[in-house]
Amino acid sequence: MSIQTLIDLPQNIKRGALIRIRVSISHPMETGYRRSSEGERLSRNIIKRFSCMLNGASIFSADLYPAVSANPYFSFQHRAARSGELTFLWEGDGGFKHVERVFMSVQ
Amino acid sequence: MTTQPLRSQAVPSKDAQVTLPGHSPDADRQSASSYEEAIRRFTGARVLIPGRIKLNIAVLIDNGNTVPISIVVIPTPDSLSNIESIAVFSERNPQHEVILLTVEPGHSSTEVASRIRLATSQKLIAIANFEDNTCCSDEVDVIVTLAACLEGDG
């Protein structure tokens, strides 16, 4: 199963503008509280941490618990001061790790 | 439909077995106290100030599996301190912790959004910790008609 992510940034970002970054990733976020139709407990499989860095400095991070919905979605703000590389990192159960990099151009 | 019919369904059939920790009356009392403990663990000895945070969520929720929430933090004349972290706690989910967020350093206002699961009708609280050792919170009561976490796989 391939991992799909959606990363939404505004276009034509002006220096000093307050922008909204929206991110989601395909992931079941299995809670560990559900049972299969055979009555066996389904083991937990969640993303535990999401972080977004600009040129290596954190601008947003989240600790996730089973109460976060499948395909975790986050929307957060950033004051655009300079162009740079945005790194999006998801880490979770079973050694789950996914990284996306997007260049953000600030005029 | 509240949790009551779901609980009674859980008894007879093996196929429809839905067990959820923390749902006997005793466990409910226990979870109510540890809801407060979970909140205390986050806020520590901080001073509570009013009015800087708003938790936006629908009061009546048809589907507890995907509930949009947003949290708005603004400075007030009484407090301009920067945000350190934001957390959401649930009163009656199997785990009280829902989400813990750290925003960009050096900001006194923010707006964040996500989507969460709710196991039943309950209280939900959003708390922001500030750098000047204060915190603020907004608690809401929500009614959930279709609960998350309870259904089996297929």
Side-chain angles (χ1 to χ4, degrees):
Chain A
M1 188 183 71
S2 71
I3 295 159
Q4 293 191 328
T5 58
L6 280 174
I7 296 170
D8 179 49
L9 294 174
Q11 294 181 331
N12 305 320
I13 301 167
K14 298 270 189 294
R15 192 176 302 275
L18 189 64
I19 63 162
R20 172 173 301 282
I21 301 173
R22 302 190 306 155
V23 186
S24 72
I25 185 168
S26 62
H27 193 283
M29 290 295 284
E30 185 58 60
T31 60
Y33 295 107
R34 299 198 311 156
R35 283 169 191 273
S36 71
S37 46
E38 286 78 41
E40 285 168 47
R41 180 160 285 206
L42 299 165
S43 56
R44 195 185 86 164
N45 175 23
I46 66 166
I47 291 174
K48 291 192 279 196
R49 188 157 174 86
F50 166 70
S51 47
C52 175
M53 286 149 283
L54 175 62
N55 296 329
S58 176
I59 60 171
F60 178 83
S61 66
D63 291 318
L64 288 73
Y65 293 87
V68 175
S69 298
N71 307 325
Y73 161 83
F74 291 106
S75 158
F76 53 94
Q77 292 180 325
H78 168 64
R79 180 75 65 183
R82 61 207 159 106
S83 301
E85 189 183 59
L86 286 169
T87 306
F88 301 87
L89 172 65
W90 294 263
E91 293 164 291
D93 288 331
F96 180 91
K97 187 175 177 185
H98 188 78
V99 183
E100 293 280 338
R101 291 190 174 86
V102 176
F103 187 78
M104 179 176 70
S105 171
V106 176
Q107 279 118 34
Chain B
M1 193 168 74
T2 66
T3 51
Q4 205 62 45
L6 281 174
R7 228 180 287 169
S8 55
Q9 275 169 16
V11 182
S13 149
K14 183 173 171 271
D15 287 346
Q17 192 177 22
V18 282
T19 49
L20 184 66
H23 262 265
S24 68
D26 276 353
D28 276 352
R29 264 201 300 278
Q30 203 173 24
S31 75
S33 74
S34 53
Y35 168 64
E36 281 134 27
E37 279 163 23
I39 292 168
R40 256 199 311 276
R41 272 199 298 277
F42 178 66
T43 58
R46 284 163 189 274
V47 181
L48 188 73
I49 51 157
R52 281 194 65 176
I53 191 168
K54 178 89 178 85
L55 170 60
N56 298 305
I57 184 169
V59 174
L60 183 63
I61 294 153
D62 288 332
N63 181 356
N65 279 304
T66 309
V67 185
I69 61 164
S70 80
I71 300 152
V72 180
V73 181
I74 52 160
T76 62
D78 294 336
S79 173
L80 305 164
S81 181
N82 289 331
I83 303 161
E84 204 172 83
S85 52
I86 300 168
V88 178
F89 296 96
S90 128
E91 182 194 16
R92 293 183 61 186
N93 273 11
Q95 254 178 283
H96 298 295
E97 292 85 358
V98 173
I99 202 164
L100 172 65
L101 306 171
T102 311
V103 296
E104 192 169 14
H107 286 248
S108 60
S109 69
T110 196
E111 182 175 347
V112 292
S114 188
R115 293 194 286 247
I116 64 166
R117 293 170 168 143
L118 293 171
T120 183
S121 299
Q122 57 181 305
K123 285 185 170 65
L124 208 62
I125 191 167
I127 307 169
N129 282 347
F130 300 103
E131 287 174 357
D132 65 355
N133 222 27
T134 59
C135 64
C136 66
S137 66
D138 186 21
E139 191 173 50
V140 293
D141 276 293
V142 293
I143 297 165
V144 178
T145 51
L146 174 67
C149 307
L150 294 167
E151 306 93 70
D153 179 38

